[in-house]
Amino acid sequence: AQSVAQPEDQVNVAEGNPLTVKCTYSVSGNPYLFWYVQYPNRGLQFLLKYITGDNLVKGSYGFEAEFNKSQTSFHLKKPSALVSDSALYFCAVRDDNQFYFGTGTSLTVIP
Amino acid sequence: DTGVSQNPRHKITKRGQNVTFRCDPISEHNRLYWYRQTLGQGPEFLTYFQNEAQLEKSRLLSDRFSAERPKGSFSTLEIQRTEQGDSAMYLCASSPEVVATQYFGPGTRLTVL
């Protein structure tokens, strides 16, 4: 079975602090992993992806994610959070020709 | 703007009516995806086209749902005999190749009364 889990519905972090949004996955083959962000009344925007290669992937807006095969995780991170990072974040995994999205994590950065 | 566009942005209909949504992908993207998103959930895959061929359909896609991409460019998603449970945001995305990034449109919000 293919799936992706985001164990936290809500993450709160103070501005300037590091942030982590967690994602774990389960696929039958090699994982192709993605992070998207969704702002209110806006479409999903691509942040970064892991296909192969270096386990640490750098993406848009200073975000990065670390692929950990042994823990089947792909956590999203940022060293210093901004208030403007407050949004809904989705992890996704591609398996065969289908994409599976997590239920999303609402990130609130507190000024 | 050369992004993915979707029309209409909002649709309110009565139960039992048919509705049709349109998606215009980024030009030269040969892959096009339809998703459904309900409040508090991530997007759920519905169907996928490579050019004009519909290659995958989710089990979520009942017989009342049909999608086409007749010329390998824009796509339409039709829902027949709408039900209140069909109320959701319908998202379209396109990508240039299988493992490439999907670019999403703004979505069509359907409300079935």
Side-chain angles (χ1 to χ4, degrees):
Chain A
Q2 305 86 4
S3 70
V4 59
Q6 294 181 243
E8 301 160 317
D9 292 335
Q10 174 81 38
V11 170
N12 296 325
V13 63
E15 185 178 23
N17 282 2
L19 69 87
T20 299
V21 183
K22 296 179 180 177
C23 172
T24 59
Y25 65 89
S26 174
V27 296
S28 55
N30 291 324
Y32 300 130
L33 297 156
F34 302 78
W35 274 102
Y36 285 84
V37 59
Q38 188 173 38
Y39 297 99
N41 300 316
R42 301 278 296 277
L44 286 158
Q45 297 179 30
F46 169 76
L47 281 179
L48 50 80
K49 67 182 177 184
Y50 172 83
I51 304 298
T52 186
D54 194 347
N55 289 345
L56 185 63
V57 178
K58 293 188 182 297
S60 307
Y61 312 119
F63 284 92
E64 59 189 27
E66 186 169 11
F67 170 65
N68 188 317
K69 187 173 183 178
S70 63
Q71 297 183 4
T72 61
S73 67
F74 189 57
H75 300 332
L76 180 71
K77 299 181 180 183
K78 187 173 182 179
S80 179
L82 301 173
V83 173
S84 57
D85 293 330
S86 298
L88 192 55
Y89 290 81
F90 290 97
C91 181
V93 62
R94 176 191 166 272
D95 197 17
D96 291 330
N97 286 320
Q98 297 196 25
F99 281 74
Y100 300 88
F101 282 80
T103 51
T105 298
S106 178
L107 173 68
T108 300
V109 181
I110 303 165
Chain B
D1 188 345
T2 58
V4 178
S5 61
Q6 292 186 246
N7 289 288
R9 295 290 306 276
H10 303 274
K11 179 69 177 178
I12 300 173
T13 191
K14 293 182 178 179
R15 187 176 52 188
Q17 298 295 306
N18 299 343
V19 295
T20 300
F21 310 141
R22 177 177 169 128
C23 171
D24 287 88
I26 294 171
S27 60
E28 299 177 356
H29 280 191
N30 57 12
R31 288 167 174 80
L32 186 148
Y33 302 79
W34 284 100
Y35 294 85
R36 179 172 62 193
Q37 185 179 21
T38 54
L39 196 62
Q41 299 295 319
E44 295 174 306
F45 171 82
L46 293 178
T47 190
Y48 150 67
F49 289 85
Q50 180 174 322
N51 298 314
E52 66 276 9
Q54 188 173 18
L55 298 186
E56 294 282 344
K57 288 176 64 174
S58 166
R59 292 189 301 273
L60 295 174
L61 209 63
S62 79
D63 292 342
R64 297 184 296 105
F65 287 68
S66 62
E68 295 182 341
R69 195 183 182 195
K71 298 182 180 179
S73 56
F74 74 91
S75 175
T76 58
L77 177 68
E78 181 183 17
I79 308 173
Q80 296 181 325
R81 305 181 303 281
T82 53
E83 301 172 357
Q84 288 185 327
D86 297 332
S87 296
M89 178 74 83
Y90 289 84
L91 300 171
C92 175
S94 70
S95 73
E97 58 186 51
V98 175
V99 296
T101 302
Q102 292 187 26
Y103 295 89
F104 282 82
T108 295
R109 181 170 296 283
L110 173 66
T111 301
V112 182
L113 302 175

